[in-house]
């Protein structure tokens, strides 16, 4: 059963393949349709946020590229050109429906850094309070590769969790998640409802994606995981028809519906799990792995090695000896000092370092285990 009766805040994600023709030019009819449906939802009293792709494609076509550019500087230049066209067109269309739109260009850093995270939420909440429709894209013109969201499926899921949305609708060029590749198997069936993302469901995402956008079905499933764990339900449906958003919000059986968890991860836990994006790792032995999974803090004794540099208070990945990701946590010690106390008993910390902040390297309260 799709549970959409009490939704108040909806995020709509539109991909490049829905928004543009194969030559990169904007498909104005589709764009107008999307804006009209969003404006209608807004008229109903819903809060709506639009996450849109299409900057690079639109810029490339405006600059006369025959195909999508491959180098990063060219992509960034195209994004800078295309984003203006994109937002100009949205603003023009939204104003026809008497709506005020606002542009927000995000980077991963805005979510990774706790202060910026809280500040960004306030910006969104204020815009929604005053009745504006935020239009979000990644800040492609400036952001460097290693801190990119990379695809707008992930971005839209992060935004949905960030603003405590009730529902994310991802408009795609396929009808939803199939149980096998519909291009190869004519008996492939669309999955209507997903309660939990099991291994079986993840297996379905393998071959059924579109090749046009950045993200295929795999990135959409990743987006679903982010959403569901933070209590946001998600629908993947085809953006080709001119009423798919309205039908999805009305609870009709369009596309695939993923049920958000009734008991979602709390804000800080979710931030640690999905938004903080650690750059360094602590590798722990089997005994520590077991203890962590039994809700114990991480002590120096269970640490085998560390990878990368970090400061006290930074988020790190916790890996098992075979490289499996056990969780994320906030380290109480910097990597330099921690490297001197690897494997030692807690009582030796002060003797070795000349100080002791805590017995725990990562306290259970500062940790999320997957
Ligand atoms: N942010 C990119 C753009 O506007 C799109 C990324 C994606 O396709 O997922 O072109």
């Amino acid at each position: 059963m799709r549970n959409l009766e009490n939704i108040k805040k909806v995020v709509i994600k539109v991909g490049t393949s829905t928004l543009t023709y194969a030559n990169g030019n904007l498909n104005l009819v589709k764009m107008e349709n999307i804006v009209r449906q969003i404006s209608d939802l807004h008229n109903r009293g819903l809060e709506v946020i639009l996450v849109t792709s299409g900057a690079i494609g639109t810029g490339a076509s405006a600059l006369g590229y025959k195909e999508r550019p491959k180098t990063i500087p060219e992509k960034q230049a195209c994004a800078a050109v295309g984003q203006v066209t994109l937002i100009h067109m949205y603003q023009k269309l939204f104003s026809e429906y008497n709506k005020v739109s606002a542009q927000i260009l995000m980077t991963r850093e805005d979510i990774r850094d706790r202060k910026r995270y809280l500040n960004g939420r306030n910006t969104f909440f204020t815009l929604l309070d005053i009745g504006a429709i935020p239009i979000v894209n990644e800040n492609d013109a400036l952001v460097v590769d290693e801190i990119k969201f990379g695809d707008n499926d992930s971005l839209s899921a992060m935004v949905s969790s960030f603003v405590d949305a009730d529902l994310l609708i991802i408009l795609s060029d396929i009808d939803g998640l199939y149980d096998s590749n519909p291009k190869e198997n004519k008996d492939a069936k669309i999955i209507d409802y997903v309660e939990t993302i099991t291994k079986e469901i993840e297996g379905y995402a393998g071959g059924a994606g579109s090749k046009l956008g950045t993200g295929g079905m795999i990135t959409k499933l990743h987006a679903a995981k982010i959403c569901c764990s933070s209590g946001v339900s998600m629908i993947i449906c085809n953006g080709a028809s001119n009423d798919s958003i309205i039908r999805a919000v009305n609870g009709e059986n369009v596309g695939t519906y993923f049920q958000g968890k009734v008991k979602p991860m709390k804000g800080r836990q979710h931030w640690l799990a999905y938004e903080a994006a650690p750059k360094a790792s602590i590798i722990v032995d089997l005994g520590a792995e077991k203890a962590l999974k039994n809700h114990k803090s991480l002590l120096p004794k269970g640490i085998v090695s560390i990878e990368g540099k970090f400061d006290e208070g930074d988020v790190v990945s916790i890996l098992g000896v075979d490289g499996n990701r056990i969780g994320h946590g906030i380290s109480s010690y910097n990597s330099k000092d921690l490297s001197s106390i690897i494997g030692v008993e807690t009582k030796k910390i002060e003797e070795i370092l000349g100080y002791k902040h805590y017995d725990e390297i990562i306290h259970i309260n500062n940790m999320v285990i997957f």
Side-chain angles (χ1 to χ4, degrees):
M1 238 312 256
R2 297 188 181 204
N3 180 8
L4 294 165
E5 262 156 42
N6 297 316
I7 58 169
K8 291 197 176 62
K9 203 180 289 178
V10 185
V11 178
I12 316 280
K13 184 260 171 179
V14 189
T16 306
S17 57
T18 303
L19 214 56
T20 61
Y21 291 104
N23 63 10
N25 290 336
L26 288 173
N27 184 330
L28 295 174
V29 173
K30 277 197 188 161
M31 207 169 173
E32 189 153 24
N33 251 316
I34 289 162
V35 169
R36 186 174 51 87
Q37 292 180 79
I38 291 177
S39 300
D40 189 64
L41 294 182
H42 197 259
N43 283 352
R44 291 186 193 188
L46 293 180
E47 294 181 325
V48 195
I49 292 162
L50 172 62
V51 176
T52 184
S53 303
I56 299 175
T58 309
S61 111
L63 292 169
Y65 282 88
K66 293 275 172 294
E67 53 188 45
R68 208 175 160 86
K70 297 206 167 50
T71 70
I72 291 171
E74 281 178 305
K75 275 190 207 164
Q76 294 192 307
C78 286
V81 171
Q83 182 64 28
V84 186
T85 314
L86 202 58
I87 211 73
H88 170 70
M89 201 48 78
Y90 275 123
Q91 198 205 17
K92 178 173 140 62
L93 295 172
F94 273 118
S95 67
E96 281 177 17
Y97 294 100
N98 221 4
K99 300 294 170 201
V100 174
S101 48
Q103 172 179 255
I104 298 194
L105 298 177
M106 293 183 71
T107 67
R108 214 171 219 290
E109 286 302 299
D110 298 318
I111 287 187
R112 179 189 275 154
D113 182 283
R114 191 81 185 146
K115 238 194 219 157
R116 283 164 74 167
Y117 175 89
L118 295 171
N119 181 54
R121 270 166 64 92
N122 285 338
T123 308
F124 271 102
F125 293 155
T126 307
L127 283 169
L128 294 172
D129 272 354
I130 60 178
I133 297 175
I135 304 176
V136 185
N137 195 359
E138 182 154 20
N139 193 354
D140 295 308
L142 291 181
V143 80
V144 287
D145 232 19
E146 59 269 26
I147 55 160
K148 256 180 114 46
F149 289 103
D151 64 86
N152 278 11
D153 294 328
S154 307
L155 172 66
S156 64
M158 296 280 199
V159 167
S160 303
S161 139
F162 189 59
V163 300
D164 305 327
D166 302 299
L167 176 69
L168 165 65
I169 301 175
I170 293 191
L171 294 179
S172 178
D173 57 353
I174 55 168
D175 291 341
L177 177 67
Y178 283 87
D179 62 358
S180 62
N181 190 340
K183 285 172 194 146
E184 286 162 11
N185 178 8
K186 64 174 177 33
D187 295 326
K189 280 197 187 55
I190 195 155
I191 312 285
D192 170 57
Y193 180 88
V194 177
E195 172 93 45
T196 312
I197 302 171
T198 57
K199 286 265 172 287
E200 190 186 2
I201 297 286
E202 283 188 52
Y204 294 159
S210 133
K211 294 219 163 31
L212 290 171
T214 313
M217 201 39 90
I218 290 175
T219 60
K220 289 179 179 51
L221 219 58
H222 179 65
K225 277 192 198 167
I226 296 173
C227 280
C228 293
S229 63
S230 54
V232 182
S233 298
M234 185 180 121
I235 296 173
I236 305 171
C237 62
N238 202 324
S241 74
N242 56 14
D243 58 357
S244 39
I245 300 177
I246 298 291
R247 291 179 57 209
V249 170
N250 286 349
E252 291 183 36
N253 279 0
V254 287
T256 304
Y257 174 87
F258 297 82
Q259 174 64 50
K261 283 214 167 39
V262 184
K263 282 194 187 152
M265 277 184 180
K266 297 235 167 61
R268 184 178 161 85
Q269 293 287 96
H270 198 269
W271 177 78
L272 266 178
Y274 293 108
E275 285 103 11
K279 292 180 209 152
S281 313
I282 294 180
I283 293 96
V284 304
D285 64 20
L286 280 174
E289 178 169 348
K290 230 170 135 190
L292 296 179
K293 287 180 176 163
N294 280 320
H295 307 289
K296 298 277 186 316
S297 297
L298 178 63
L299 302 175
K301 188 131 187 51
I303 299 176
V304 176
S305 60
I306 54 180
E307 267 168 23
K309 284 196 182 132
F310 49 89
D311 280 327
E312 168 193 335
D314 279 354
V315 177
V316 295
S317 293
I318 308 167
L319 307 179
V321 269
D322 52 2
N324 57 315
R325 190 177 293 263
I326 301 168
H328 291 165
I330 298 174
S331 175
S332 323
Y333 292 84
N334 65 43
S335 49
K336 186 163 167 282
D337 290 355
L338 183 56
S339 62
S340 319
I341 51 172
I342 286 176
V344 308
E345 294 290 340
T346 307
K347 57 178 188 280
K348 293 255 181 190
I349 296 179
E350 187 155 12
E351 191 184 315
I352 297 172
L353 296 180
Y355 76 95
K356 182 170 84 171
H357 287 324
Y358 304 97
D359 283 350
E360 303 85 6
I361 303 306
I362 302 177
H363 192 277
I364 182 66
N365 293 342
N366 293 328
M367 193 189 294
V368 60
I369 298 298
F370 299 131

